[in-house]
Amino acid sequence: MEQETRLTESRPASPGTLRPGGRTAKVRGAVLDATRDALAETGFHALNMDRIAASAGVGKTTVYRRWGSPVGLVTDLLHDMAEQSLPAADTGGLAGDLRANAELVRDTLADPRVGAVFHAVIAAAACDEECARALAGFYRTRLAEWAPVVARGAERGEIPAETDPLELLRAVSAPLYYRFAVTHEELTADVAERAAEAALAAARGGVFTRPQGASGDPIGQE
Amino acid sequence: MEQETRLTESRPASPGTLRPGGRTAKVRGAVLDATRDALAETGFHALNMDRIAASAGVGKTTVYRRWGSPVGLVTDLLHDMAEQSLPAADTGGLAGDLRANAELVRDTLADPRVGAVFHAVIAAAACDEECARALAGFYRTRLAEWAPVVARGAERGEIPAETDPLELLRAVSAPLYYRFAVTHEELTADVAERAAEAALAAARGGVFTRPQGASGDPIGQE
DNA sequence: TCCTTAATGGGAGACTGGTTCCGTTAAGAT
DNA sequence: ATCTTAACGGAACCAGTCTCCCATTAAGGA
């Protein structure tokens, strides 16, 4: 409200927040596009602020001021990705839904361009605390979107009623991300299939049942 | 033999290979120690060749010549780690062995110093192809060491005879690494326990059975 | 429409990180 | 013990990266 508190000018409110309109938004779009391209072509290690500015047709001062570092660029890219959410599947059965989920993850990571972005995001998160938080947030929303799938399966009696939805979903993703980020193995179709099957088998065996519905914080932070 | 072939000086054979004795070995030890320390304290993003040289008490020329870049340092550190292998457990039952394995992985990643090294290794592998190969090699030997555990379990009839040992072991590790590298969740004791249980349940359900003993290449490369 | 000022962008300069040169040290062979 | 030369290390040098200053543009409000 008041604009003359005593902390005037101590917080310039970080560029882009007070006038997020036309130009500012356009600049952000161009920079994030350029970042995506650069990651797909040369990878995270070669991500260079100057080059991004040049290929985005934007002053490099602006890039340094608004994003600060390559990690900052990747973090913002992650926020951007988090905004576009696609709905979960509903094949009528839990097995089918989980498999659809596994295939979605696989297709995402296996795509050369998107895969490069995820490699970068993982690398950046390993370096920077804030980026790690952004990444955790991304998965929190992603998993939350798919949780109903598990709930429906439980209602149908396909798995124990007390199954923790997030735990099951993590079990589906884990083998894919493990191969992607750690052992760098190829993500074939049957890796995805097996991930879904294994998770379901474990769920049926009651491995993912938790005392309550586990409404605590689902994804913690480092 | 002859020292005047026409490819003289084209391959200096990379420093450290022709005279790996006293001094050279000492330098490598000091540099890798300094690298470990730096990773534990400031993480991969801040890994700086100059600083490593200084804190190792070694000329920076040497560090640049032998390792070339931060990624090179981490890659060599990984090779060094791969040499020290600790034997697999043998508790008498597959459930116990898998649980021991999961706990070993958990303890490794949860240790602040070692965990930092693994974060760095994962980040470096996301940036550099050679480092990714080194990482894949590391896990190939690690898993191979534990494979007999699964074979014994199969002999005892605890799981289907055709179970692919590596596939089962990967299933144990995956949830831990997923949390460690991707979602950055805390690695609690029950995460490890559940990883082992889930993998075993899936194995019992025959999810990891493969046509043959699967003697092809177990871990591919990107 | 006009005004205020947030946000951008070009360019000069400083700085850090990386490379090269060359003399010194000591590993390994005789 | 002596010799050859691999490997090291100090210092100057070069380059790409980042910061700062200030003029210019246009967003959002009156």
Side-chain angles (χ1 to χ4, degrees):
Chain A
M1 294 293 176
E2 300 150 44
Q3 8 186 336
E4 300 203 66
T5 68
R6 65 179 52 103
L7 47 83
T8 316
E9 117 212 284
S10 75
R11 275 273 153 273
S14 76
T17 52
L18 265 69
R19 281 187 192 173
R23 183 167 59 163
T24 297
K26 199 158 289 183
V27 165
R28 183 178 180 227
V31 167
L32 292 189
D33 281 349
T35 301
R36 251 183 288 261
D37 290 349
L39 288 179
E41 282 159 33
T42 57
F44 179 62
H45 67 294
L47 198 57
N48 175 254
M49 305 292 275
D50 278 23
R51 223 163 301 156
I52 292 297
S55 78
V58 155
K60 69 174 182 168
T61 309
T62 301
V63 178
Y64 280 111
R65 187 166 33 215
R66 286 186 58 182
W67 288 276
S69 70
V71 168
L73 280 173
V74 172
T75 303
D76 194 34
L77 190 53
L78 190 55
H79 284 128
D80 186 59
M81 287 162 55
E83 281 156 26
Q84 313 141 16
S85 68
L86 36 167
D90 187 359
T91 65
L94 184 57
D97 288 351
L98 291 183
R99 188 163 163 172
N101 184 20
E103 267 160 16
L104 177 63
V105 172
R106 183 194 98 92
D107 291 346
T108 302
L109 299 181
D111 178 275
R113 292 182 68 81
V114 186
V117 171
F118 273 83
H119 266 307
V121 160
I122 288 167
C127 295
D128 180 80
E129 189 56 34
E130 186 190 334
C131 185
R133 261 191 298 276
L135 187 56
F138 175 78
Y139 286 106
R140 198 182 305 127
T141 63
R142 267 289 190 282
L143 292 187
E145 250 155 48
W146 282 81
V149 155
V150 178
R152 285 197 301 266
E155 281 164 24
R156 286 186 224 108
E158 300 183 66
I159 49 174
E162 324 81 48
T163 303
D164 179 349
L166 299 185
E167 195 63 18
L168 171 50
L169 291 170
R170 275 184 280 229
V172 174
S173 296
L176 292 157
Y177 277 97
Y178 173 70
R179 283 171 166 85
F180 177 75
V182 181
T183 63
H184 290 251
E185 295 167 77
E186 203 194 345
L187 293 179
T188 61
D190 68 272
V191 168
E193 187 179 338
R194 219 171 309 173
E197 282 176 17
L200 182 56
R204 286 214 188 95
V207 178
F208 303 134
T209 57
R210 285 272 80 189
Q212 281 294 29
S215 48
D217 70 326
I219 296 190
Q221 52 272 60
E222 187 158 13
Chain B
M1 292 292 174
E2 299 152 42
Q3 8 186 337
E4 300 203 65
T5 68
R6 65 178 53 102
L7 49 81
T8 317
E9 116 211 285
S10 75
R11 274 274 153 273
S14 77
T17 52
L18 266 68
R19 281 185 189 174
R23 184 169 57 164
T24 297
K26 199 157 289 182
V27 165
R28 183 180 180 225
V31 167
L32 292 189
D33 281 350
T35 301
R36 251 183 289 262
D37 290 349
L39 289 179
E41 281 158 32
T42 57
F44 180 62
H45 68 295
L47 197 57
N48 175 255
M49 305 292 275
D50 278 23
R51 223 163 301 156
I52 292 297
S55 78
V58 156
K60 75 170 181 168
T61 310
T62 301
V63 178
Y64 281 110
R65 188 165 32 215
R66 286 186 59 181
W67 289 276
S69 70
V71 168
L73 280 173
V74 172
T75 303
D76 194 35
L77 190 54
L78 190 56
H79 284 128
D80 187 59
M81 287 161 56
E83 280 156 27
Q84 313 143 14
S85 68
L86 37 167
D90 187 359
T91 65
L94 183 57
D97 288 351
L98 291 184
R99 187 164 164 172
N101 184 23
E103 268 161 14
L104 177 63
V105 172
R106 184 194 98 92
D107 291 347
T108 303
L109 299 181
D111 178 275
R113 292 182 68 80
V114 186
V117 171
F118 273 82
H119 267 307
V121 160
I122 288 167
C127 296
D128 181 77
E129 190 55 35
E130 188 190 331
C131 185
R133 262 192 298 276
L135 187 56
F138 175 78
Y139 286 106
R140 198 182 304 126
T141 62
R142 266 291 190 281
L143 292 186
E145 251 156 49
W146 281 80
V149 155
V150 178
R152 284 198 300 269
E155 280 163 25
R156 284 187 225 108
E158 300 183 66
I159 49 174
E162 324 82 48
T163 302
D164 179 349
L166 299 186
E167 195 63 20
L168 172 51
L169 291 170
R170 275 184 281 229
V172 174
S173 296
L176 293 158
Y177 277 96
Y178 172 70
R179 283 172 166 83
F180 178 74
V182 181
T183 64
H184 290 250
E185 295 168 77
E186 202 193 347
L187 293 179
T188 61
D190 69 271
V191 168
E193 187 178 338
R194 220 172 306 173
E197 281 175 20
L200 183 56
R204 286 212 187 96
V207 178
F208 303 133
T209 58
R210 285 270 79 188
Q212 282 294 28
S215 48
D217 70 327
I219 296 190
Q221 52 274 61
E222 187 159 13

